[in-house]
Every structure is written in C-alpha cells, then in structure tokens.
Amino acid sequence: MFQSFLSNFSFGAIFFSLTITILFASFMFFILMLGSSRLSKENRTKAMYDTLRANSLRKIKRYQKEWKIEWFDALEMWLMVIGNGYKPKYDPYAFLVTSTGFGVFVFIYVLKVTLTFLLAMACGIVGFLLPILLVYVKFLSVASATRKVFLPFVDAYTQTYLDYDRVVTLAFKELGNRCPEEMRSVINYINLCIADSTVPFEKSILKFAEILNFGWAHDFVSIVISGKNGEYKSIEGALNNLSISLWAAKSVDLDRNATIKVVFLIMTVLTVVAFLLMQLNMEFLTEAKQMYFATPEGINMLTISVLILVVSFLGALIWSKRGNRL
C-alpha cells in the first residue's frame, strides 16, 4: 500500500504549492521594502519586521475587543506556559504567520491534487489550525501535569504563606523550590502577570484557574482573592480544608484515566484495522489500487479519510487532557 501511495504521490503539486507560497511571501516582502525605503540598510530588515508585527498586533487586539474573543491572548498564554513562564516558547506573531503559511500550502496542494475547492478549503483550514492545536495539546499536557501536583502545591503554598506573614502575593513569589517542578512554568507566568501593575490582581490570579481549568483551582483562587481583599485575616484554615478535600478526591480520577486509555486503544486498533482492510482490498481487487490513487473519487475519499482521522485523534487527545481530575 505504501509503495502504491509513493508511486502516485504528486511531487509536482508540492513544488507548485511551494512556488506559490514563496511568491506570495516574496510579494509581501517587496511591499515592506517599499514601505521602509527611507531606512538605512543596517536596520531596514529589523524595522520592517517590527513595524509589520506592531501593526498586525494592534489590529489583532482591536478585532479581539470588537469580537469579544481573546484568541490571540489565549495563544500567547499557551506559548508562555509551555515555555518557562517568563517568555513564550515561540514568538506568538511569528508562530501565527507560520501557521498561516502552512495552511496556504496545504490548501494549494490539495486543490492541485483533488481539483475540489471545498475539500481544499477544509484541508487548508485544518492545516492552519494544526500547529495551533498541537500547541494547545502541549499546553493541556502541561496543565494536566500541573493538576496532578496540585495537592502538594497547595500544601507548599500554605506553608510559604505562613512563613511570609500571610501575604498572598509574596507567597506566590517566594515559593521557590517548594513549588513542584511541573507547576513552575505556570507559577512563573502568574508571578509575571501579578507584577504587571496595569492588570488587576484578581484578573491575574484568575489566569491560574483558567490554566488548570478545574473546580479545585477555582476554589483555591477564590480563597486567595478573599485573603488579598482582607475578607479574612488568615486563609490558613480554608487552605487546609481544601487539602483535605483534594486527598479525598484523588481516588475518583482512577476510573477516568482507565477510560481514556481504553478510548486511545480503540482508536489505535481501528486505525490499524482500516489500513489492513485497505491493503487486503488492493490485494484481492486489482482495480482497487487504481481506484484509490488514480481517480479523483478515490483521492477525495482518501483525503477525507485522513482529514477525519486527524481531527478525531486531536479531538480525543484534547478531551483526554481536559476535565476536573487530579
């Protein structure tokens, strides 16, 4: 089957897609050169990128406010969390441009091979979203690992809170080696947000619950906010009660983890069986090879199958990393 796939692989379509993508990038670069012709040669390239980046980010921020969907801020947070918390793993703007270029490449390639605009558009959208979804899956993996050490984190925060005169913000800053390693990038990011004087403390600390995305984290944030606002002189008792509740909840998540493993096992088995059935089909029916790889209908069917497989796998992966569990 793989020999048949390689023999019918369209290298011409790949070359055509790369050519169009490079021409598009060259055209954009030429426009930028015209716009920055007054700059010196030493700083022209950097200024072009910085100007384009600043203008694009300004428009993105404006559209976020108009649409009330902070998708770019979320992407920036994901990249910060999968990094070390102080700086993003990749530059958000450069990453977005790369994802767009990959989506354009996939759209042109599929359009050249299948000659079906709707299918090419669907594949192009998936190609654009695929790098972003992979970053999101990595972010969810970090959040899942963070949830697993949430109980020792609460104990460490409680002890640090008591050691530093019951100051909730100082307790975050001075966690140090007491903080579990899986939690450090998240805590670094939260400390960076807290240090930003232009952002209210409540909004900064709510990002902690947003990252972990489960009920216990929201309870923890509510306790911290109440301590910061002076509703209680000491939140030690509430933190200790939260730790006790977390101990009782750990055993409940074993069933969910077992279910996740079963789902991935079933998906893997179904994928392998699908490839085996396709191989058997081509062995017993000589015309099957031509139908799969040499006819528009067969190529469209294979493209749709791969598209469904990728989307289903990513959807199951995202589902497995979300939810209220430790």
Side-chain angles (χ1 to χ4, degrees):
M1 181 182 68
F2 294 104
Q3 292 83 355
S4 302
F5 176 77
L6 291 175
S7 63
N8 291 274
F9 198 72
S10 180
F11 290 100
I14 289 183
F15 179 76
F16 178 76
S17 303
L18 286 174
T19 302
I20 296 298
T21 305
I22 292 173
L23 286 176
F24 176 77
S26 301
F27 174 75
M28 295 300 296
F29 185 76
F30 177 73
I31 295 297
L32 287 174
M33 286 188 65
L34 292 178
S36 60
S37 57
R38 297 181 180 178
L39 298 173
S40 63
K41 293 182 179 180
E42 290 75 13
N43 62 359
R44 182 175 297 173
T45 302
K46 185 177 186 303
M48 283 190 297
Y49 175 77
D50 291 343
T51 301
L52 177 62
R53 187 179 189 277
N55 292 336
S56 300
L57 291 179
R58 194 179 302 113
K59 291 180 180 179
I60 289 173
K61 297 290 185 180
R62 188 187 69 192
Y63 292 146
Q64 282 189 146
K65 292 181 179 180
E66 292 178 356
W67 299 343
K68 297 181 179 180
I69 301 176
E70 297 180 352
W71 59 272
F72 188 80
D73 290 343
L75 175 62
E76 189 175 16
M77 181 182 69
W78 301 342
L79 292 171
M80 290 285 286
V81 170
I82 67 175
N84 58 10
Y86 291 120
K87 62 180 181 179
K89 183 76 172 179
Y90 312 104
D91 179 72
Y93 177 72
F95 183 82
L96 189 62
V97 171
T98 304
S99 299
T100 304
F102 184 69
V104 172
F105 169 79
V106 172
F107 168 76
I108 296 173
Y109 176 79
V110 175
L111 183 64
K112 183 73 167 59
V113 172
T114 64
L115 301 178
T116 306
F117 180 80
L118 292 179
L119 183 58
M121 180 62 70
C123 292
I125 293 174
V126 172
F128 166 70
L129 293 176
L130 183 60
I132 299 175
L133 289 176
L134 291 177
V135 167
Y136 183 54
V137 169
K138 178 62 177 177
F139 164 76
L140 290 178
S141 299
V142 174
S144 178
T146 301
R147 286 194 291 266
K148 293 177 182 178
V149 297
F150 185 65
L151 175 57
F153 163 76
V154 173
D155 293 337
Y157 179 84
T158 303
Q159 186 61 45
T160 308
Y161 168 76
L162 295 175
D163 291 345
Y164 286 88
D165 297 329
R166 294 177 168 81
V167 180
V168 294
T169 54
L170 193 59
F172 274 105
K173 184 179 179 180
E174 300 297 335
L175 270 172
N177 293 330
R178 290 178 178 176
C179 180
E181 185 176 354
E182 297 86 348
M183 181 79 75
R184 288 181 184 175
S185 65
V186 177
I187 296 302
N188 290 340
Y189 175 66
I190 296 301
N191 282 326
L192 199 64
C193 295
I194 293 175
D196 187 357
S197 59
T198 62
V199 180
F201 173 79
E202 289 78 6
K203 185 176 181 179
S204 298
I205 197 64
L206 281 173
K207 291 183 178 181
F208 180 80
E210 181 182 351
I211 293 171
L212 270 67
N213 192 30
F214 75 145
W216 303 110
H218 287 279
D219 294 341
F220 172 79
V221 167
S222 298
I223 293 172
V224 171
I225 291 176
S226 65
K228 180 67 169 60
N229 294 336
E231 296 178 14
Y232 300 98
K233 294 183 179 180
S234 176
I235 57 175
E236 177 187 1
L239 292 173
N240 289 333
N241 291 334
L242 180 62
S243 297
I244 295 173
S245 300
L246 287 169
W247 274 108
K250 284 186 68 68
S251 60
V252 178
D253 296 313
L254 296 177
D255 294 336
R256 180 182 175 89
N257 293 333
T259 303
I260 291 172
K261 293 179 181 178
V262 171
V263 169
F264 274 99
L265 179 61
I266 292 175
M267 288 191 64
T268 303
V269 170
L270 289 177
T271 303
V272 173
V273 169
F275 278 104
L276 290 177
L277 289 176
M278 187 175 176
Q279 180 67 37
L280 289 174
N281 192 15
M282 287 191 294
E283 288 183 1
F284 288 107
L285 298 175
T286 56
E287 66 274 10
K289 174 182 175 181
Q290 183 177 4
M291 183 192 73
Y292 283 135
F293 298 103
T295 62
E297 293 80 6
I299 294 175
N300 289 346
M301 183 186 68
L302 288 177
T303 304
I304 294 173
S305 301
V306 172
L307 189 64
I308 293 175
L309 180 64
V310 171
V311 172
S312 300
F313 182 79
L314 286 175
L317 195 61
I318 291 173
W319 171 81
S320 69
K321 299 295 183 181
R322 293 175 63 90
N324 286 331
R325 63 187 189 282
L326 297 173

